[in-house]
Amino acid sequence: MKKITLLLALLWPLTCGASTTQTIPLGNRHYDVALLSSTAPEHSFSIDVSGARMLVIDVATPATPLTVSVVDPSGQALDPATFQQLTIAPGDEPPLGAVLFAPGVHTQLSIDWPMDGTWTVTSSLPAGATDTAVTTTALATGGLETGASMSR
């Protein structure tokens, strides 16, 4: 009996000490919808980011190009020349209703390893433009890990 107990005590760390690390993707999606008009030509939306691998921001309207500015948590404005501008016609959007590729005029940007804190996206209606709805979508991904130890 002593030999079996001793053998089990020696084998225990080999069988129960195994561990593996799995990455669980973080998928925080934030939406904001506003109406821009001549009386309210600007709208700001704040996004709290923590531990993300990538931050993707999409500002869309049905047909009116907007002026978009993005300010990081340190108060630094991102260069608008780095934002991608695209127009997606009805029928050209990908299948399955991908939110970031709905028909309309889009301003998009991706930020690798975004700074933790509050990001601010401001959409402005150009002078003389007609009233329009604006949808801002932000998707923060990656960065969350967990570990697990299991016995056999």
Side-chain angles (χ1 to χ4, degrees), residues 34-142:
L35 178 64
L36 298 180
S37 66
S38 57
T39 58
E42 188 174 276
H43 179 72
S44 292
F45 175 54
S46 296
I47 306 151
D48 291 322
V49 175
S50 177
R53 161 67 180 88
M54 180 177 282
L55 175 62
V56 178
I57 298 172
D58 176 76
V59 178
T61 66
T64 306
L66 301 177
T67 302
V68 176
S69 66
V70 178
V71 177
D72 71 18
S74 72
Q76 179 94 17
L78 277 60
D79 181 4
T82 63
F83 303 170
Q84 182 180 11
Q85 305 283 330
L86 62 137
T87 300
I88 300 173
D92 288 345
E93 70 271 11
L96 304 177
V99 173
L100 298 180
F101 296 102
V105 178
H106 293 259
T107 301
Q108 295 182 345
L109 65 145
S110 297
I111 302 144
D112 287 327
W113 299 107
M115 185 183 309
D116 288 352
T118 303
W119 291 73
T120 304
V121 179
T122 302
S123 305
S124 303
L125 189 64
T130 59
D131 298 358
T132 189
V134 59
T135 303
T136 305
T137 305
L139 176 63
T141 61

